[in-house]
Amino acid sequence: MTSFHCRSAFISDVHLGTPDCKAAYLLDFLRRLRCEKLYLVGDIVDLEALSRRHWWHAEHSAVIAEVLALARRGVEVVYIPGNHDAPMRKLHGQNFAGVRIELDAVHVGADGRRYRVSHGDEFDPERIGSRWMLLLGEAMHRLICWSNRRLHALRRRLELPYLPLSIIVKSHVGKALAYIRAYEQRVADDARRRGFDGHICGHIHFGHVRELGGVLYLNDGDWVEHCTVLVEDHAGAMELIHWSEQSTALGRASREQVWPSPAAVLALAPLGAARRGEPDPDELPRAA
């Protein structure tokens, strides 16, 4: 098994305790991961879903065990609870088996850039929207996840690589795109007001590397629909990686340039290129 080396890794929206969680892909990544810092940026264990339905898979336990193993090996692990594991926010400042729980964090990159790290639900206006709109949105999201799960099962039987159906749906629905872009702008505006070089978050299940008015918006995505992780190399460059049978880089932000354009991410161009003979997971760029 080839190791994946980086300085820092940011993972969110795993939703352990739900059938939609792609724990096998995450487990493969964690077992390869060699880093100094690991940020768990919220909604790791879906306590909200578990309160409604008791469902758990052995692979979900293995993910937790692997995180604890990383902490034992000296990796600095910071857990920032999100809205689906919000009860854990009451434990901020505590340390459990080497995992430190915080409400948010400040990450200083290898190149000196400063990032605020939070789950991101504080920027979601739908939290305070009309009740019926919230319920409708949740129902449609569950339908997308159900469809994504069925498609994934079919493609596995046909020995085809993972295809994130929901990112295709979101990329072709005008209101979804408008919501995503407005959310990104709010996050970037807040980082600028606070004097940060960027903000790292999750929450909306849409991984993205984007510069907005001189501030970096970095969303690490999720492990329910898109299977993405944000990593920092030892020079301070940030890279968004999709990790499955067709793992590949989706975006990169160094001091010199931000790649690719938002349109390229929405078009799923990097994922499509991976099936045309681009590097496999073992050949992805490693930190120097």
Side-chain angles (χ1 to χ4, degrees):
M1 181 184 294
T2 305
S3 298
F4 182 92
H5 294 270
C6 62
R7 181 174 183 260
S8 308
F10 303 81
I11 292 168
S12 76
D13 298 274
V14 179
H15 292 275
L16 295 172
T18 68
D20 296 306
C21 170
K22 305 298 184 293
Y25 293 139
L26 177 56
L27 190 58
D28 178 64
F29 174 76
L30 291 173
R31 285 172 173 168
R32 296 170 184 260
L33 180 62
R34 301 294 182 268
C35 66
E36 299 172 14
K37 295 183 179 181
L38 172 62
Y39 291 88
L40 305 173
V41 194
D43 289 0
I44 304 302
V45 179
D46 197 327
L47 299 179
E48 185 177 297
L50 287 170
S51 69
R52 298 192 302 265
R53 174 192 180 190
H54 295 164
W55 189 96
W56 194 263
H57 192 278
E59 288 178 341
H60 297 203
S61 298
V63 166
I64 294 176
E66 198 60 38
V67 169
L68 295 178
L70 287 167
R72 286 196 301 273
R73 292 199 294 269
V75 176
E76 182 182 346
V77 182
V78 179
Y79 191 151
I80 300 171
N83 52 304
H84 282 262
D85 46 13
M88 295 187 66
R89 288 172 171 166
K90 299 176 183 178
L91 303 175
H92 69 92
Q94 301 295 315
N95 188 302
F96 293 91
V99 177
R100 191 171 81 251
I101 300 177
E102 300 290 353
L103 296 178
D104 59 7
V106 175
H107 176 75
V108 180
D111 57 5
R113 289 184 291 182
R114 297 172 66 252
Y115 304 90
R116 181 169 178 251
V117 187
S118 75
H119 179 61
D121 57 307
E122 67 268 32
F123 301 105
D124 190 348
E126 292 189 359
R127 293 188 309 158
I128 55 175
S130 300
R131 179 64 179 167
W132 72 268
M133 290 182 67
L134 290 173
L135 292 174
L136 178 61
E138 290 174 0
M140 292 193 65
H141 183 257
R142 285 196 298 270
L143 176 61
I144 292 173
C145 288
W146 179 87
S147 302
N148 191 66
R149 193 163 69 241
R150 295 297 183 272
L151 177 63
H152 176 52
L154 174 61
R155 290 179 67 87
R156 289 195 70 174
R157 285 198 296 272
L158 297 175
E159 298 184 351
L160 294 172
Y162 180 69
L163 180 67
L165 173 65
S166 59
I167 197 171
I168 299 173
V169 173
K170 292 175 185 178
S171 300
H172 290 82
V173 176
K175 287 188 177 180
L177 282 179
Y179 163 76
I180 291 167
R181 287 167 178 158
Y183 177 89
E184 293 172 346
Q185 190 65 60
R186 286 192 297 273
V187 174
D189 289 345
D190 182 79
R192 190 180 302 106
R193 284 193 297 268
R194 294 173 184 262
F196 288 103
D197 296 294
H199 192 115
I200 299 169
C201 62
H203 183 58
I204 62 170
H205 292 207
F206 197 89
H208 213 167
V209 172
R210 189 178 181 190
E211 185 177 19
L212 290 165
V215 172
L216 279 177
Y217 168 84
L218 302 169
N219 194 304
D220 58 25
D222 67 277
W223 292 85
V224 169
E225 303 165 70
H226 309 133
C227 303
T228 52
V229 54
L230 183 73
V231 299
E232 177 199 11
D233 69 19
H234 288 86
M238 294 290 187
E239 191 167 66
L240 181 69
I241 295 174
H242 166 82
W243 193 276
S244 68
E245 298 91 348
Q246 54 179 27
S247 302
T248 188
L250 294 176
R252 180 179 175 85
S254 65
R255 278 197 176 276
E256 294 73 30
Q257 73 176 128
V258 178
W259 172 90
S261 67
V265 176
L266 296 179
L268 273 183
L271 286 180
R275 298 215 307 277
R276 295 193 297 270
E278 293 296 313
D280 63 22
D282 292 337
E283 298 171 339
L284 284 171
R286 298 298 190 262

